[in-house]
Structures are given as structure tokens and as C-alpha cells.
Amino acid sequence: EDPLVKRAALEAAAHLYSPMIWAAIIPELAKNSTRSLAASALIEGGEAVLPLLQSATQDPEQDSQIVVAIASICGRIATPEALEILKSLLNHQDASVRRQAVVGLSRSAYQAQDQERHLIEQLFHAHAADVAEIVAAQVDIGDERPVRLTAVALAQKRQEETDNLLLLLSFLYDPQTVLSAREALRLGQFDEEKRAYAIEMLDILLDHDHKKILFPFLRRLDREQRLAAAQKHFPQILIGREPRLRAFLADDSRVAARWLRLCAIYTLGLLEDRQATQAIFEALVQGSHDPVMVETALGSLEKTGQDQALQEVGAHLEQAPDLTLATALERWRGRDRQAMTLLQKADNLTQASIFATLTENSIEVIAGLMKVVTVRSGETIIRQGDLGDCMYVVVEGQLRVHVGERTLDTV
């Protein structure tokens, strides 16, 4: 399939009210290259497309990336029927879906009424427990070089889940005040006065029970201090680095959405954790439709189980044929050994501070666009006055910035 033709077709679909093609558009929500255009086309369907979207969310085998995109679409359509779909996703098993459902309801100016307030209270406590689990995971895993990518993913996940708490509170309290405090906290990452102002606003507005749960997650504390505060309401058990990473691959993990699972699989490969081989194999089989999952899992299986693990993948395919996985395995075996996987690119990308705070989706998209370039010692990669059309992230070695013989900097 020509990607340019597909993108042109999706652009045209956004201008055509054509229910006959909506079902064919939904699978395109799973792909970074077509997700935005597919979403635009479905949003144009308005209320009429909602039954089809609801049916897609109820499929237990549905790709979580598609359900996340559907939640975003419902938040844009924002009719009462769309809000009902969003509310049905608030307890979804996938953390990214739950997140987008909360964001969509907030975008639609949702306010909980009557019995719904009890549901939001339950969700608030569930998400607070998730934050506590993430903090415990941060303590277990640390942030040393081999686990750096997972550490970055955990930090982002903690911020995201803490933000969920604020959005849920905006469904119970005056939304303007809560959302103003939320924005001040976002700016407060760089301005302590704004952070203090946000906490003061919330201190006046919230009741005692909500404050005692929320505030330890908002204040500037190190990991151990934050965990100690969270333990008072949501007891956690520290289990160590590798067991915690393996726990993220379990089917019943509430906090480990797709990107965190990918990072955990990648990190377990770097650590050559042989005890993780079976869990990674199961993640590979379950995620055989996801090219990034397949690539990451095969790479880690090669490191944790070596040739035996890849032979087991081949044996599994003989018993349960899967053309997509079989093709990926063949491609993996014949790959360029010097080429980087997407997770390797993401790992190097997040070492640069300007990328470390990007969302997981942005990191994945940018990493997918990166190309590996090897340069010889003394080779010039850019000259003063050249028109720039790219940027470089140095993975190994150094670059000398100079004018003539005078060195200005070393990168």
C-alpha cells in the first residue's frame, strides 16, 4: 500500500460524509502515520459515527491504541452519547485509555451528578493508588544508565496519573478553580511561586480527605519521601529492580500501558534478565500485531534467552501460525546488525534534556523518524552558513565545533 495514497484517501474522507467507509478507517487509528487523518475523518461523522466507535471499544481484542484514539475522538464530538462512551472507558484495563477518557471528559466540561459522584470518588482513590505504585516502582528501579529509558517513562507516567487526579477533582469541585491550579502546577515545574500558588488554591477548595491524598504527590519531595507519604494511605512493597520490571509485563498491571511495557521489555534485555524470558515471549505473542512490540521483544529475547528463545518463537509459529509474526521473525534474523531498534533510538533520544519531557507518543514518533549516521574521525557534518535541514543527537564519540583552528565547543 502506498502511504501517500492512503493519506490522500483519508484526507478526502474527512470531507465526505460516508458511513460506508468509517469501518475501514478505524484500523488506521493504530498507526502513527495515519492516526491524525483517520481521527479527523471520523470526527466529521459526528453523532452518527458513535455506535460504530462504541462497538469498537467493546471488542476485548481491540488494539489499545485504537481505543485511546476513539476516546480522543469522543472528547472532540462531545455530545451526551459521546460522554457516555467516555464514562464507560474510565475503568478500562489499559492505563492510556483511562487517561484519554478522563481528558476527553474534561475537554467536554463534564460535571459529575448524583450517583456519578461516588464513581468519580472511587476512581480518584484508584488513580491515587496507581501513583503510589509508580512511586514505589521509581524507588525500586532507580535511574542509572541501563534503566534510564524506563525511569523517564515512569516519571512521565507519575506526572500523567497525578494530572488525572486533578482532572477527576475538577468533575467534583468548581472546574475553573481546579483547572487554573492545574495550569499553575504545570508552569510551576519551572516557577516555585506558581506551584505554591496552585497548592494554596487547592488547599482552600478541597476537603481534608482529598488534600491528604493529593498533596504528597504535588509537593517537591524526593522518591523516598514521596513514597513514605503515600504509604500512609496506599501501602506498597518494594520488590527490587528486575522483579518490578517483570511485574510491568503481567496482564493485571494497572499502571503499565503499552509504552511502559515496551520500555520494561527493552530494559530487561539490557540487563540480560533470563528470568524475564517467558514473560517477554508472552508479550511478543500477544502483541504480534504491533511492529514495535515485536521488534523490541525479539531484541530482548535475543539478549535474555539467546538463540534458544528465538527457536522457541519458531516452534510456537509451527503450532500456531501467525504470518505477521513469522514475517517479523524472518526480517529480524536477516536484519543489519548495526541498525538500531526504535527503543534504542528512543533511549538515546531521551538522554538529551530537550526530549526527555516529551510525551511517550511524541518520543515514539520522533524516534521512528531518526536515522543512524556513522561519521569518520575528522569528517565535517555541517559548515557555518549551511542551510540546516536536520539535527543530530550524538550517541557515541564527540563533535568539535570550531572556526578555523579555534575550538568553540565540544559536544
Side-chain angles (χ1 to χ4, degrees), residues 96-373:
S96 294
V97 175
R98 296 195 300 271
R99 164 65 176 176
Q100 196 56 58
V102 172
V103 170
L105 286 171
S106 175
R107 180 178 292 147
S108 306
Y110 167 73
Q111 282 283 280
Q113 303 294 329
D114 303 324
Q115 294 182 345
E116 289 182 351
R117 295 183 66 85
H118 179 63
L119 168 64
I120 300 302
E121 286 281 2
Q122 289 181 318
L123 290 170
F124 176 81
H125 283 80
H127 280 274
D130 291 343
V131 182
E133 181 181 342
I134 292 167
V135 173
Q138 288 182 300
V139 174
D140 270 335
I141 291 172
D143 56 8
E144 296 177 356
R145 181 64 190 91
V147 302
R148 175 65 180 165
L149 183 61
T150 300
V152 170
L154 279 172
Q156 293 176 341
K157 181 60 68 177
R158 181 176 65 79
Q159 291 178 349
E160 184 179 282
E161 286 293 349
T162 302
D163 189 57
N164 284 342
L165 296 179
L166 292 167
L167 292 179
L168 288 167
L169 289 173
S170 76
F171 304 157
L172 300 173
Y173 292 90
D174 174 56
Q176 184 175 352
T177 303
V178 177
L179 295 178
S180 294
R182 174 184 179 236
E183 177 63 14
L185 283 167
R186 186 184 68 80
L187 298 173
Q189 297 179 56
F190 315 102
D191 187 330
E192 197 57 41
E193 279 191 25
K194 285 185 170 58
R195 174 176 290 272
Y197 172 67
I199 292 176
E200 183 179 349
M201 279 197 292
L202 293 171
D203 190 34
I204 294 170
L205 179 67
L206 304 181
D207 66 31
H208 175 72
D209 287 343
H210 289 136
K211 286 190 290 191
K212 71 182 182 183
I213 291 174
L214 177 67
F215 281 10
F217 301 136
L218 300 183
R219 294 198 170 101
R220 295 236 189 247
L221 303 172
D222 63 29
R223 290 191 296 261
E224 287 74 15
Q225 291 171 327
R226 188 171 285 117
L227 178 60
Q231 292 273 34
K232 297 175 183 177
H233 308 290
F234 306 101
Q236 300 293 316
I237 299 174
L238 297 179
I239 58 177
R241 184 175 66 179
E242 282 82 355
R244 181 68 71 174
L245 290 165
R246 293 196 294 268
F248 287 148
L249 305 189
D251 290 338
D252 60 353
S253 174
R254 261 187 61 90
V255 302
R258 172 178 172 273
W259 183 252
L260 185 53
R261 286 167 64 86
L262 284 168
C263 292
I265 290 170
Y266 169 74
T267 303
L268 286 165
L270 290 181
L271 297 173
E272 299 184 7
D273 180 16
R274 292 178 177 271
Q275 293 185 51
T277 301
Q278 183 59 33
I280 295 173
F281 173 77
E282 291 172 1
L284 168 65
V285 173
Q286 292 173 5
S288 62
H289 62 282
D290 182 345
V292 181
M293 175 63 76
V294 170
E295 174 188 69
T296 306
L298 287 174
S300 289
L301 282 175
E302 195 171 68
K303 293 177 181 177
T304 61
Q306 299 179 343
D307 290 340
Q308 180 182 352
L310 296 184
Q311 289 170 7
E312 289 178 7
V313 176
H316 167 80
L317 289 171
E318 291 179 3
Q319 298 177 2
D322 182 329
L323 180 59
T324 302
L325 183 54
T327 303
L329 179 60
E330 192 65 27
R331 189 183 303 118
W332 176 262
R333 284 173 167 158
R335 77 193 187 284
D336 177 1
R337 294 279 171 170
Q338 300 303 313
M340 284 189 183
T341 66
L342 188 140
L343 267 286
Q344 285 176 310
K345 293 177 181 178
D347 193 4
N348 287 293
L349 190 66
T350 54
Q351 303 306 308
S353 58
I354 61 171
F355 295 116
T357 57
L358 291 178
T359 64
E360 57 194 42
N361 186 61
S362 296
I363 291 172
E364 182 174 352
V365 170
I366 295 172
L369 296 172
M370 291 175 68
K371 295 181 179 178
V372 179
V373 178

Side-chain angles (χ1 to χ4, degrees), residues 16-29:
L16 297 173
Y17 187 87
S18 180
M20 294 179 62
I21 64 173
W22 289 340
I25 292 174
I26 287 179
E28 300 304 318
L29 295 171

Side-chain angles (χ1 to χ4, degrees), residues 41-76:
L42 292 170
I43 289 169
E44 288 301 312
E47 202 164 312
V49 80
L50 292 177
L52 181 64
L53 297 183
Q54 183 172 29
S55 176
T57 66
Q58 292 170 344
D59 179 357
E61 302 300 320
Q62 189 62 267
D63 187 324
S64 62
Q65 293 183 90
I66 290 179
V67 185
V68 170
I70 288 175
S72 178
I73 292 167
C74 289
R76 297 283 298 278

